[in-house]
Amino acid sequence: MQKVLVTGGTGYIGSHTAVELIEAGFEVVIVDNLSNSYADSIDGVEKITGVRPAFIKADCASPQDMQQVFTEHPDIQAVIHFAALKAVGESVEKPLEYYKNNIYSLINLLEILKNRGGHLVFSSSCTVYGQPDVLPVTESSPIKKALSPYGNTKKIAEDILADTIQSTNKISGIALRYFNPIGAHPSAHIGEFPMGKPDNLVPFITQTAKGIWPELKVFGSDYNSPDGTAIRDYFHVVDLAKAHVIALKRLIEKGNKTPFEIFNVGAGNGVTVLEIIKSFERATGVKINYTLTDRRPGDIEKVWADTSYAEKELGWKAQLSLDEALLSAWNWEKTIDKQSHAKAQRGG
């Protein structure tokens, strides 16, 4: 059984990927500093899989912490690296926090891997494309100036990965540029539960539906889209989690064509914010109170993926529908009590 380190593994995408890894026969070690997630998600992973992954509370941005992780688990053969700050709006307000955390954490991992060897699947983002001139975007679309420090950290991280892997024969890597994962595990044992006010659309929708917030603010109503709201490529987080396992197996089985590969992962079509709200209402029967407001700094107008390369090379394609994703998000939301929401709004 191969051992995989999942950084940021108590977070939204990390916990879902831990489930898929365990179900695929991997041994999982989770590292997280719990700055924007809860260790409770490990309980959820165990409920779903019957296996409790090892957990170490540590900061990937600390070289000492990461050395200690590999000292405790010297047989780690691969890393799936999620650990990062990820709120676009917050990154505009706190750029240095984002550069320090997101870049240092990757460098620390690579410093270790370049000496001992291993495989790395990196959590990248469609933000590297900025506002594309041509849609949908392919992996060869131009990398444009990022519109937020968060997006820039992903671009810089990809460059660091490419340069480091090129300099050594000990590391192989895949960056998954994903678009907008939503939803929750169908068991409703794990899902998206950010600390503080949600930055992402769907948890704000579900929390508004539950009455945590009086209304949902839709940022921007004057975009060049069918209804004036921004367009994104939304797809189910379980599909995304499966993509990480497929990418990891490709590296382990040496099916990769080059030492460092990049793939888009998304549904492959664009959906407006208002269409997401309508889909949620259709799937759940719950109406959302929303208002249209000004654009948010750092947001792009529209982006969606061409996923044909991932389908061809990885055999991966998003399978679950938008309605399924939104219904699963609502089912997850209904499991969260008021005390937990009050704690989250206090930031922990």
Side-chain angles (χ1 to χ4, degrees):
M1 184 183 293
Q2 293 181 312
K3 186 177 284 188
V4 181
L5 176 66
V6 181
T7 72
T10 62
Y12 174 45
I13 304 170
S15 59
H16 285 82
T17 301
V19 166
E20 298 300 326
L21 285 166
I22 291 168
E23 292 185 340
F26 291 96
E27 182 179 354
V28 172
V29 177
I30 289 175
V31 166
D32 205 300
N33 65 2
L34 304 180
S35 64
N36 193 35
S37 60
Y38 301 93
D40 295 355
S41 64
I42 297 171
D43 298 333
V45 172
E46 184 178 20
K47 286 177 184 175
I48 295 165
T49 64
V51 175
R52 189 171 187 84
F55 171 65
I56 301 170
K57 184 179 180 182
D59 187 350
C60 293
S62 163
Q64 295 79 13
D65 281 11
M66 294 316 296
Q67 285 290 351
Q68 185 59 35
V69 168
F70 281 87
T71 299
E72 290 182 29
H73 295 274
D75 52 343
I76 289 170
Q77 295 163 296
V79 180
I80 300 184
H81 183 44
F82 295 107
L85 298 174
K86 62 180 181 60
V88 169
E90 183 184 59
S91 77
V92 174
E93 298 167 3
K94 303 175 181 178
L96 289 180
E97 285 187 28
Y98 275 68
Y99 286 115
K100 283 195 294 184
N101 184 83
N102 295 5
I103 302 304
Y104 285 173
S105 61
L106 176 63
I107 289 173
N108 291 337
L109 277 171
L110 291 174
E111 287 280 11
I112 293 169
L113 291 180
K114 76 175 184 181
N115 294 320
R116 68 195 307 279
H119 311 291
L120 191 147
V121 179
F122 177 65
S123 164
S124 192
S125 168
C126 64
T127 54
V128 301
Y129 297 116
Q131 180 55 68
D133 296 320
V134 178
L135 289 166
V137 290
T138 70
E139 290 81 358
S140 58
S141 293
I143 302 302
K144 302 183 79 172
K145 178 176 171 56
L147 297 184
S148 70
Y150 164 73
N152 206 27
T153 66
K154 292 299 183 182
K155 175 187 178 298
I156 293 167
E158 283 192 10
D159 290 341
I160 291 170
L161 265 172
D163 291 343
T164 304
I165 290 171
Q166 187 177 16
S167 72
T168 176
N169 60 5
K170 290 189 174 183
I171 307 173
S172 62
I174 288 176
L176 297 181
R177 288 177 181 162
Y178 36 88
F179 286 67
N180 291 75
I182 60 173
H185 195 271
S187 67
H189 289 315
I190 54 175
E192 188 170 11
F193 187 42
M195 290 186 183
K197 203 168 189 177
D199 187 70
N200 291 342
L201 174 63
V202 170
F204 213 115
I205 287 176
T206 60
Q207 290 183 23
T208 302
K210 196 173 184 178
I212 303 299
W213 308 104
E215 65 177 9
L216 167 72
K217 290 184 178 179
V218 176
F219 296 108
S221 59
D222 59 347
Y223 287 115
N224 181 22
S225 71
D227 57 30
T229 62
I231 295 177
R232 296 290 183 274
D233 186 334
Y234 298 94
F235 68 117
H236 204 300
V237 68
V238 171
D239 281 327
L240 175 57
K242 291 178 187 296
H244 287 84
V245 179
I246 293 169
L248 181 61
K249 287 182 175 178
R250 181 178 175 90
L251 294 175
I252 291 171
E253 295 164 6
K254 301 191 186 304
N256 48 311
K257 290 186 173 179
T258 59
F260 180 54
E261 296 181 307
I262 294 171
F263 297 96
N264 284 341
V265 281
N269 58 277
V271 180
T272 70
V273 174
L274 291 184
E275 285 171 336
I276 285 285
I277 293 171
K278 289 173 186 174
S279 179
F280 177 84
E281 293 178 338
R282 181 173 60 245
T284 66
V286 180
K287 290 291 183 183
I288 297 296
N289 182 32
Y290 68 88
T291 58
L292 303 175
T293 187
D294 294 338
R295 298 185 185 191
R296 182 172 58 176
D299 279 347
I300 63 170
E301 180 172 87
K302 60 180 78 170
V303 66
W304 65 92
D306 180 331
T307 60
S308 57
Y309 187 58
E311 189 172 353
K312 175 188 171 192
E313 289 294 323
L314 300 178
W316 177 90
K317 187 176 182 180
Q319 301 293 326
L320 299 165
S321 71
L322 199 59
D323 282 12
E324 286 176 296
L326 290 161
L327 179 58
S328 69
W330 179 233
N331 288 338
W332 156 251
E333 178 63 52
K334 289 188 290 185
T335 70
I336 304 169
D337 58 35
K338 289 183 178 179
Q339 290 80 8
S340 296
H341 271 298
K343 180 182 177 185
Q345 289 179 37
R346 292 193 301 268

